[in-house]
Amino acid sequence: MPGIAVGLPSETLSLAYLAAGVLFILGLRDMTHPRTARRGNLISATGMAVAVGITILWFEILSPLVLFAALLVGAGIGTWLAVTVDTTDMPQLVGLFNGFGGGASALVAGAELIDLLGPSASAALPVETTTAAAITGLIGAVTFWGSVVAAGKLQGALKDPIRYSGENVLKLAVLVVAVVAGASLVAQNQLFGVLPAAEWVPSYWVVVAAASVLGVLLVIPIGGADMPVVIALLNACSGLAAATTGFALDNSVLIIAGTLVGASGVILTVIMCRSMNRTLTNVLFSGYGATDSSDEDSSDIYEGNVMSTSPEEVAMLLDIARRVVVVPGYGMAVGQAQHAVAELATLLEANDVEVVFGIHPVAGRMPGHMNVLLAEANVSYEQMQELEAVNPTFSETDVVIVTGANDVVNPTALSGEASPIAGMPVLHVWDAQTVIVNKRSLSPGYSDIPNPLFTNDNTYMLFGDAREAMQALVKAYKEGH
Amino acid sequence: MAFIENLTLFVLAGFVGYEIITKIPATLHTPLISGTNAISGITLIGSVVVAGSGHSTLATGLGFLAVVMATVNVVGGYLVSHRMLRSFRQRGD
């Protein structure tokens, strides 16, 4: 049903979709370096404009008012959210946007089924179409509700993981309902006679309803520090939902773009899991530290073995330092200490001290969280180093400042085989001359295990909120110069 | 036959995605997630067709909602990525 573009050769639509697909690929390729990344984002947005533009021109729009009202409303909400959000709230916004993509895919597949089956609900659809639609409904609804819960967790609305006995059985039961309804949709037998045949294709919406419950159940038991994995996984799901919608609609650019996103999310998920030395099933289906954590031991090992320090003493250490590595963690984000940390780095560099930021892949609540915060605080990307790059340099480092991080600098990961973090790649900060750990208290991190780093001879604790401590440090350092 | 063609696209795009994404540095992982989110809003073109076709009130209503959600995803996603990427700068910039 060609619309305005009725005079154009029929290949135009496919060619425009091909161009859009190429632009997405070129845009992603430019994301391989911070220097070109912004251009890449613009190229990718151009691809989107091409794909959407040709679609509006090509297809017969019988209700233009509905369509343009929806586009305006969506663009308005999207712009408003993107422009007004604080940098610190970006993880939850990105999570929420992700869910919207998945949700839209689920709605489109449902609307397409209604359109294809028609009022009589008797037309037979190809198995490929119904299968793709069922999968889209499943993945899309899981993505939407999973993202909403994840965003709520990141916002702090749902702080504690919600766990209960038999949770995996419940998830399995809900999944079975979704799969049975999906099978019924594919077989087009209206849920084996239980549901009536109707214009609104009831079996599809049973899939969506069950998947919605599943999405919520999957994410509520997961703790905050596992959020990087969840966000990456939901990212993959939103892409796959778009790709399966492409199968249902027979649309090339949906498949190409959706698959690119799916690949990206899957790769990030793998990287995040590897950085925690955990499997995906372990993250999703078993609580972290569910193995007995020995609380008594944790206070015992600290007893009389921990040395605390003051901002003034640290400033004196920094006076004679040649190389300083800052290791930020989620505590820096919570305390919004990135600006104070960046100011300290600038002051040190002005005095010819080499300053590097050592960033663990899972530090924070989403992949690359620390980097975005530091970039916003004017830290150059050359100063942000990945774990593999920074680890060999600790032995040549005079002072390491750990702020708001705990598990990612825990030496137990290397030695204790029974520990929940055993085998996790960590930053070897203890190789440095002196380690300053800024933390509010000696309380354990997310893994709920003590950190023997705090008792080392070359470790000094700088107790306090990340921002207050870093601001005090900046002040003390300034006074000495 | 259409299914096989679609599958071909899916598999090839998967390989292209793998080759490119594995080269993206950890520093850019947040903008990557937000940028790819925006790309997954490509489902917008499906929404546009469904919302605009006006075959049934129900399908149009669902299409309307889908267009709103997908547009939020696309516009918001690209803008947030742009905001984040704007702050990534070289030393001395």
Side-chain angles (χ1 to χ4, degrees), chain A residues 31 41 44 62-63 82 85 94 97-98 101 105 108 111 235 250 259 261 349 367-368 371 375 378 380-382 386, chain B residues 6 10 25-28 30 33 36-38 40 42-43 45 47 50-53 55 69 73 78 83 87 89-91:
Chain A
M31 292 282 283
N41 191 51
S44 168
L62 288 179
S63 35
V85 69
V94 170
F97 282 159
N98 200 11
S105 291
V108 173
N235 186 221
D250 246 329
T259 310
V261 179
E349 287 195 307
N371 307 74
N378 283 332
S380 73
Y381 57 78
E382 290 129 312
E386 296 179 27
Chain B
N6 290 339
F10 178 76
T27 287
L28 292 175
T30 296
I33 287 191
T36 51
N37 270 350
S40 74
I42 187 70
T43 196
I45 66 175
S47 324
V50 177
S53 64
H55 285 313
M69 287 171 87
N73 186 206
Y78 280 120
R83 255 188 78 181
S87 59
R89 48 180 70 85
Q90 262 174 299
R91 201 182 289 266

Side-chain angles (χ1 to χ4, degrees), chain A residues 184-248:
Chain A
S184 147
L185 174 66
V186 173
Q188 292 178 69
N189 64 356
Q190 304 305 334
L191 204 59
F192 311 111
V194 178
L195 277 176
E199 188 200 339
W200 54 283
V201 199
S203 48
Y204 179 76
W205 298 102
V206 174
V207 174
V208 169
S212 300
V213 176
L214 186 63
V216 173
L217 292 179
L218 277 175
V219 181
I220 52 169
I222 299 179
D226 283 338
M227 277 300 145
V229 178
V230 175
I231 295 287
L233 188 64
L234 290 169
N235 186 221
C237 287
S238 75
L240 292 176
T244 49
T245 311
F247 278 88

Side-chain angles (χ1 to χ4, degrees), chain A residues 19 41 104 295 321 325 358 400 447:
Chain A
N41 191 51
D295 303 60
V325 176
V400 171
S447 67

Side-chain angles (χ1 to χ4, degrees), chain A residues 57-241:
Chain A
L57 286 179
W58 188 265
F59 287 92
E60 189 181 24
I61 306 292
L62 288 179
S63 35
L65 201 66
V66 174
L67 177 62
F68 286 104
L71 284 171
L72 272 179
V73 171
I77 298 175
T79 308
W80 180 70
L81 286 173
V83 170
T84 55
V85 69
D86 281 335
T87 322
T88 38
D89 292 337
M90 272 182 185
Q92 48 268 48
L93 185 66
V94 170
L96 198 64
F97 282 159
N98 200 11
F100 277 27
S105 291
L107 292 178
V108 173
E112 179 70 9
L113 283 176
I114 294 169
D115 256 1
L116 288 175
L117 287 170
S120 60
S122 58
L125 286 178
V127 177
E128 294 100 80
T129 309
T130 46
T131 309
I135 297 175
T136 307
L138 180 67
I139 304 179
V142 165
T143 309
F144 179 73
W145 286 104
S147 300
V148 168
V149 175
K153 278 180 178 281
L154 292 167
Q155 182 71 34
L158 299 155
K159 269 214 181 69
D160 295 316
I162 298 168
R163 310 203 65 94
Y164 44 91
S165 58
E167 59 179 83
N168 286 336
V169 178
L170 182 61
K171 284 175 215 163
L172 187 66
V174 177
L175 179 64
V176 168
V177 171
V179 169
V180 169
S184 147
L185 174 66
V186 173
Q188 292 178 69
N189 64 356
Q190 304 305 334
L191 204 59
F192 311 111
V194 178
L195 277 176
E199 188 200 339
W200 54 283
V201 199
S203 48
Y204 179 76
W205 298 102
V206 174
V207 174
V208 169
S212 300
V213 176
L214 186 63
V216 173
L217 292 179
L218 277 175
V219 181
I220 52 169
I222 299 179
D226 283 338
M227 277 300 145
V229 178
V230 175
I231 295 287
L233 188 64
L234 290 169
N235 186 221
C237 287
S238 75
L240 292 176

